[in-house]
Amino acid sequence: LAAKRAVNNDAIIGCQIKEIVIGEATSGEIREFAEWIMMNHKKDMKKLPVPLISFDCEFIDFSMYFTLNIFGKLGMDTIDSDLDDMLTWPVKMQIGNGYSYAGIVTFHVPDTGYAAKPITIPKAFIEFLEDLPLVTGCGIRNDLLLINKFMKIAYGREVKFKGSLDISVLAVLAGWTLKKTNMFTLAFVGAGVFMNKLSCIGYDKWGQKFKNLALSMRCYAISDIKVCWLLAVTFLTTILYNWFPDQKATCSHTKSRPFDFVKHFMHWVVESAKDSTLNNNEFQVSPDVDSAIRSIRKYSSMFKIEKESPRIVKAFLSLWDADSPLFFKIYILKLYESTDVDSVLVEHPDPHLFVLKSGNFEEEYCDEAPMMPVFSIWTHSAPVHQKPHNSRESEIFPSQTSRIMHENEPGRLEHFFALVMYAFLIYLTWDWFNYKFEIFAHMQQRYSEDN
């Protein structure tokens, strides 16, 4: 994924793309499409346990009269709108990781616009959207609001999405302090990708079927969800390293496999941070990472945000200090545990140990190499089920500071000896080259004297 992050005309090569056209696809075809999306998402979860699916939408504005007419709602008393008003249509939805697969949903509107055929939205399509996992993207909540506003008029009710997680929230939790969190900045700084937003404009062509779009628009549509997926994975992995840089100690304390613990932690972060946003007034004046994290807010309603920070903010502020001992981090993870995560940290007879318990990790575990190299470093760098530490620290409470260092953290001594060995090998190599050089110089001098 990281090697194919470039946004160019080859962006769609190797990506399996399927499209359904609303108004043409039958309910059976939509269900088959939904099963294909979920099958590929489960494959991703077995390689990389990120409980998110990348989602993006392209929009075109049409008049209310045209909308009501094409969906057979014209003349209904339930519609209280000015027929001259404009309504935003989600004419193109992209779903998937943009790397190995991408699903396209199209509301096909020809260039002539008003010559379009009547459209009926099947119930299976609404069920498909409501069964999607948590969706992620840049400004994703605004996209969902526009989709619901459209569906309320075109179908008769809103779509009950499971939730969303904006990329900007993950970026701030990972340490982002830049004041810009738009797609261009996030992609350029977070993934080294240059997104040409001119292709996003589309000049009202997004209503065409995917195969009829210009190559630049097709590549942009797929690259958009690919970059969002890459950013989500990158920021979640950064958060994992910020909290638990020592994989051996973490798996030893929780008696878990690396894959299982990563799955639990990433589920915890996603479930705790979903449906959040940045309070822009606070974020723009935040001088440091702590202040930026404090600007995160949950939505209390469709458009309003809460005054108080969510629980995940308190957890992150407790553990942002890099010197926090491992037990304290796991204790905070347990204290702010999400009720929506299918695994739990349970207490152990050792008062300094919490064990990760779950009933379904075994059957979901996959030995294939993960898609992200940085993720594979954490999950495949050491054996698991090691003997727990015999720490003699006093009981730690959340009110205490996180400056207590865990004694004898594994890995530091090994790293020291490895550096000593490397230095010794470099010294031997240098000494050998010096010896050979002296012999060569001596032979050259003898040769010149003989001549």
Side-chain angles (χ1 to χ4, degrees), residues 205-218:
K205 301 294 184 181
W206 286 114
Q208 298 181 13
K209 295 181 180 180
F210 188 78
K211 63 181 181 181
N212 296 332
L213 292 174
L215 177 61
S216 60
M217 295 175 68
R218 280 181 285 156

Side-chain angles (χ1 to χ4, degrees), residues 32 101 114 116 155 169 189 230 235 259 268 308 338 387 441:
E32 182 181 346
Y101 76 101
Y114 293 91
Y155 184 74
V169 174
V189 178
L230 176 62
F235 291 140
F259 187 92
W268 178 83
E308 299 294 329
S338 173
K387 184 179 179 181

Side-chain angles (χ1 to χ4, degrees), residues 250-265:
T250 303
C251 294
S252 174
H253 272 72
T254 57
K255 289 188 175 180
S256 62
R257 296 177 301 182
F259 187 92
D260 295 344
F261 184 84
V262 170
K263 180 177 180 181
H264 175 82
F265 181 75

Side-chain angles (χ1 to χ4, degrees), residues 133-152:
L134 287 175
V135 293
T136 186
C138 188
I140 184 65
R141 187 173 179 83
N142 187 55
D143 287 357
L144 300 188
L145 290 176
L146 291 175
I147 290 173
N148 272 332
K149 183 179 179 181
F150 168 79
M151 287 297 178
K152 189 174 182 179

